[in-house]
Amino acid sequence: MQKLFDEVGTLDNNCYNSFGLSEDILMEHAANGMNIFIRATFNKNSKIIIACGSGNNGADGLALARLLHEDYKVEIFYVKEPKSPMAKLQLGRAHAIGVKSTIELNKCDVLVDALYGTGFSRDFDNESKSVMQTINKMSAYKIACDIPSGLKQNGECDKDIFIADITLTMGALKKSMFSDAAKDFVGRIEVINLGVSRSVYETSSNWNLLDQEDLKLPYRNQKNTHKGHFGHLSIPCGDKYGASIISALAAHKFGTGLVTLVGPQEPNSMHYTLMHAQNIPANTTAIASGMGIGNQFSEDELRSFFDNSLPCILDADIFHMPILLDLLKKENVVITPHPREFIALLHRTNIADISISELQNDRFKYSEAFCKKYPNITLLLKGANVIIAQNDQFFINPHGTSALAKGGSGDVLSGLVGSLLAQGYTTLDAAINASLAHTKIVQNYKGADFSLTPEDLIQGIGTL
């Protein structure tokens, strides 16, 4: 697990004030980190163009040019004339050693974007827009210095954002790089050390990036057990029973001792490993509801399912039902909306009345707003990068792929969450570990990304 930050200016200042490190020293480490990567990746005499802006991001690029000079064919392309004190200082050093500049973006092997850093908050001006459009058409290997130019602090992207093969980010990970919008532009991400260990450089943060190594699977370490030791998940099953069955099979495969579909009649295609009941069984340890409910149940019947203190996961159809607002008052609840369901939820809870595009431009903000109003609820907001949150703790799972963009994938996820709840995980741990398992299954999948089905996901649980 790694910490995420909105900005690192305060972390830099802490280095100046607490460790006696200067802005110049940190910049030299930033430039040298990029220098080390380039030397390890590209042959000497490769042609490198560094596109520089007027501020300290441009200064990083100028320092890099100096470090590569003579061993590589380095040219500086000035998008903006240096204005910050550090940019002017680094320009003087680069000129003193003989670094050349160019007025044209010619063919090159490597192109480094050092135009705008984390302070970018507006749209590109016409000059920058034209440069970025040209750069993005070039076939060079593209490196973003700190962040891709055009990425804003909230994760929103300018439509002409730099498209990086790799982002070499300075000191610590920036939250903006893990927005859904940024996923197609940041490329691979590596953190550059600025002269002190990240454990020293970084302060506390309530946003974290999940690593696959954080996954804690429900292994069975105790030998003297029976099925009752591993929970009983009940899933209300309505007229769209296919979704309920998918969730149930995923939960069963993920370790739940017993899984029961609850409804007035047994589905025609119910799997032989599942059970059926008309009411929630007395030994139920968790409920997963919403997947496949349809219009099967009356309001009173739905309320009867939740007239208890059992942990539950809410998904799909439940987001459109009046009972939802009452369920948000309960403890031990996980909700797993996709963006359209989430904006409807924000509207119903009087948090915000926004469009999907407004949500996607600032998923962080609206996740925080929801958790502030409902600190007892665990939110799992689906997307290219999943946000999992409760109260003031926020986590991003960046490991998903477009292979999951298919009907039924979310039903599998709900089954995984429900399974862990039934086995005794807390709501937050259930959401985190189910999401990580969900994405790891995809990474283990050997078929074409377009071919992944819910059945493949369920089968893949066994590969974890």
Side-chain angles (χ1 to χ4, degrees), residues 179-197:
S179 70
D180 278 14
K183 192 154 187 170
D184 283 316
F185 306 115
V186 294
R188 186 159 59 91
I189 299 171
E190 290 188 10
V191 178
I192 300 298
N193 184 292
L194 295 183
V196 293
S197 165

Side-chain angles (χ1 to χ4, degrees), residues 157-179:
C157 299
D158 188 279
K159 68 184 184 67
D160 294 305
I161 183 175
F162 180 78
I163 304 173
D165 292 297
I166 188 170
T167 296
L168 300 178
T169 197
M170 307 310 169
L173 291 171
K174 286 77 181 176
K175 189 171 64 176
S176 62
M177 298 188 295
F178 299 96
S179 70

Side-chain angles (χ1 to χ4, degrees), residues 15-303:
C15 287
Y16 309 151
N17 299 328
S18 301
F19 312 135
L21 301 175
S22 66
E23 186 177 25
D24 199 357
I25 290 174
L26 265 62
M27 185 167 289
E28 287 300 314
H29 280 282
N32 192 47
M34 294 188 288
N35 169 52
I36 290 170
F37 172 81
I38 289 172
R39 290 180 181 276
T41 310
F42 300 97
N43 294 328
K44 287 188 176 182
N45 291 318
S46 297
K47 183 175 179 181
I48 301 173
I49 293 179
I50 304 174
C52 294
S54 61
N56 281 4
N57 197 246
D60 288 341
L62 291 166
L64 172 63
R66 169 171 47 81
L67 293 172
L68 296 173
H69 179 62
E70 290 296 344
D71 292 333
Y72 293 85
K73 299 173 183 175
V74 181
E75 293 181 346
I76 300 167
F77 179 83
Y78 298 108
V79 182
K80 301 284 184 181
E81 288 294 324
K83 291 182 180 178
S84 75
M86 287 304 301
K88 293 177 179 178
L89 176 63
Q90 295 292 0
L91 176 62
R93 290 171 176 172
H95 280 171
I97 202 174
V99 176
K100 297 179 180 178
S101 61
T102 180
I103 60 172
E104 295 183 1
L105 288 167
N106 296 317
K107 183 178 179 180
C108 60
D109 301 300
V110 181
L111 196 146
V112 179
D113 161 34
L115 177 53
Y116 293 110
T118 55
F120 182 79
S121 60
R122 58 192 183 281
D123 293 332
F124 282 139
D125 58 31
N126 290 334
E127 181 183 15
S128 298
K129 184 191 300 288
S130 177
V131 168
M132 280 301 164
Q133 289 173 349
T134 300
I135 284 174
N136 284 331
K137 292 176 183 176
M138 296 173 66
S139 60
Y141 185 89
K142 298 186 179 74
I143 300 172
C145 171
D146 200 20
I147 64 168
S149 290
L151 178 59
K152 301 175 184 178
Q153 191 177 94
N154 64 357
E156 185 180 357
C157 299
D158 188 279
K159 68 184 184 67
D160 294 305
I161 183 175
F162 180 78
I163 304 173
D165 292 297
I166 188 170
T167 296
L168 300 178
T169 197
M170 307 310 169
L173 291 171
K174 286 77 181 176
K175 189 171 64 176
S176 62
M177 298 188 295
F178 299 96
S179 70
D180 278 14
K183 192 154 187 170
D184 283 316
F185 306 115
V186 294
R188 186 159 59 91
I189 299 171
E190 290 188 10
V191 178
I192 300 298
N193 184 292
L194 295 183
V196 293
S197 165
R198 284 176 66 185
S199 64
V200 174
Y201 178 78
E202 296 175 351
T203 55
S204 62
S205 174
N206 61 347
W207 279 86
N208 297 277
L209 186 74
L210 295 170
D211 298 320
Q212 284 289 10
E213 294 74 19
D214 295 319
L215 175 60
K216 295 180 177 62
L217 292 168
Y219 291 120
R220 299 181 171 189
N221 299 316
Q222 185 178 344
K223 296 180 180 179
N224 182 22
T225 61
H226 56 79
K227 61 180 178 269
H229 283 107
F230 303 106
H232 185 171
L233 180 67
S234 289
I235 302 176
C237 177
D239 50 354
K240 300 177 182 178
Y241 57 80
S244 303
I245 292 173
I246 289 172
S247 293
L249 291 174
H252 200 257
K253 187 77 171 180
F254 207 36
T256 311
L258 296 166
V259 181
T260 296
L261 295 174
V262 179
Q265 59 185 23
E266 184 176 314
N268 294 331
S269 59
M270 189 169 118
H271 196 269
Y272 65 87
T273 62
L274 306 176
M275 300 187 297
H276 176 264
Q278 293 191 0
N279 299 296
I280 300 292
N283 62 344
T284 295
T285 56
I287 298 171
S289 183
M291 311 76 61
I293 281 185
N295 297 310
Q296 183 73 55
F297 303 102
S298 68
E299 183 77 9
D300 288 341
E301 287 173 323
L302 282 175
R303 291 186 181 280

